[in-house]
Amino acid sequence: MKPTDERSHESTDARTGRRLDGYGVLITGAGRGIGAATARRLTAEGARVLVTDRDADRAAATAETLPGARSFGCDVADRASVEAAVAYAVEHVGSLDVLVNNAHSCTPDAPLFEDEPDEDWALDLDITLTGAFRCARAALPHLVASGRGSIVMIGSVNGARDFGNHAYSAAKAGLAGLTRTLSGHAAPRGVRVNLIEPGTIHTPAWAGREAVLDRAAALYPLGRVCTPDDIASAVAFLASADASWITGVTLPVDGGILASDVGLRRAFRGAEL
């Protein structure tokens, strides 16, 4: 078993109060939305962040707003691209202590399941699930070497309950399984692996459909949809030494929707949905 580095159990830097001072972090799909919010939050916590995205210009634009951040165009569907991003992080960020697997694909469902095209199914699984596998495989030796390595997967409530999107949901459910198996493999080597399950998130993908989000908010026990910053806060916790005794878990950040069905409760009371 990998010896414990006592320093990794200190929750904050004594001088700054920032939990991730000196950490090197690689975030996939970080050009906007959850990934960009996570890059901002981890930078504020003292991390040196490598912002990666398939759109290199978008990654660069995000990194330019963050002190000390760098960017890299990375396509998680391509093994060589992933390995190049990891090598760049190690060389230019200085270390690799945290991997945030955020990149995903979500193709729309066909009206009938039997009309679902193979290429949409394959794309969602390749980017969302296999992409996370590629990144974890490339990063793991460096996370082991850091002595405080952590992988945070960004899943979805779609992986735990039916909210539509067959391929996307299957991929996110697969991430939960990968988190469990990889956490058991990596724990003796000093690396933690955890999964966050967000609910509906107000990201740029919802542009022009804000009315849908308003209707969705009414179905969440906490009365609103998620923001990217909600997820970024959870990532910062799981990546830090504050979570040093946590691995292999799924953390819902979902406004309570997996625990309580507000719409059904209202229906039982005869109220408007």
Side-chain angles (χ1 to χ4, degrees), residues 199-202 212-218 220 222-227 230:
T200 306
I201 306 173
H202 193 169
V212 176
L213 292 180
D214 289 341
R215 292 195 298 272
Y220 277 85
L222 287 180
R224 66 174 177 88
V225 297
C226 187
T227 71
D230 291 324

Side-chain angles (χ1 to χ4, degrees):
M1 180 174 291
K2 187 177 179 65
T4 299
D5 182 345
E6 293 298 331
R7 294 171 300 171
S8 70
H9 288 224
E10 299 173 2
S11 62
T12 59
D13 183 279
R15 297 163 300 162
T16 66
R18 298 188 301 181
R19 292 179 292 183
L20 299 174
D21 262 338
Y23 280 59
V25 179
L26 189 160
I27 308 172
T28 66
R32 64 178 185 173
I34 296 172
T38 300
R40 288 193 298 270
R41 177 58 184 265
L42 301 193
T43 298
E45 293 265 8
R48 303 183 307 272
V49 174
L50 179 63
V51 176
T52 76
D53 198 281
R54 183 170 56 182
D55 186 329
D57 291 338
R58 183 180 290 166
T62 297
E64 287 171 1
T65 68
L66 304 174
R70 291 177 176 263
S71 67
F72 194 89
C74 176
D75 181 359
V76 300
D78 180 76
R79 179 173 184 172
S81 181
V82 167
E83 292 177 349
V86 168
Y88 185 91
V90 172
E91 180 178 358
H92 295 283
V93 177
S95 65
L96 184 55
D97 303 288
V98 178
L99 168 66
V100 182
N101 274 323
N102 171 67
H104 71 279
S105 171
C106 181
T107 55
D109 284 340
L112 293 176
F113 180 77
E114 54 266 37
D115 294 329
E116 288 284 326
D118 285 1
E119 54 269 26
D120 286 0
W121 177 271
L123 178 65
D124 283 6
L125 266 69
D126 191 37
I127 299 295
T128 307
L129 177 57
T130 309
F133 155 73
R134 292 186 187 101
C135 293
R137 177 178 59 190
L140 190 57
H142 304 286
L143 298 173
V144 170
S146 83
R148 56 189 182 188
S150 174
I151 299 174
V152 182
M153 310 279 198
I154 306 300
S156 171
V157 293
N158 284 59
R161 186 175 171 185
D162 173 28
F163 294 102
N165 293 104
H166 305 296
Y168 173 79
S169 298
K172 292 297 191 179
L175 275 182
L178 177 60
T179 296
R180 289 189 293 270
T181 59
L182 185 54
S183 67
H185 172 80
R189 303 168 72 187
V191 177
R192 299 180 298 106
V193 187
N194 294 292
L195 174 80
I196 294 171
E197 274 185 345
T200 306
I201 306 173
H202 193 169
T203 66
W206 286 93
R209 295 186 292 161
E210 285 76 13
V212 176
L213 292 180
D214 289 341
R215 292 195 298 272
L219 299 177
Y220 277 85
L222 287 180
R224 66 174 177 88
V225 297
C226 187
T227 71
D229 287 339
D230 291 324
I231 307 306
S233 296
V235 174
F237 166 66
L238 288 175
S240 77
D242 282 347
S244 63
W245 199 234
I246 300 175
T247 195
V249 306
T250 293
L251 173 63
V253 182
D254 68 343
I257 200 165
L258 291 180
S260 179
D261 190 322
V262 171
L264 187 59
R265 287 164 62 96
R266 290 175 180 168
F268 286 149
R269 295 198 304 265
E272 292 289 331
L273 295 182

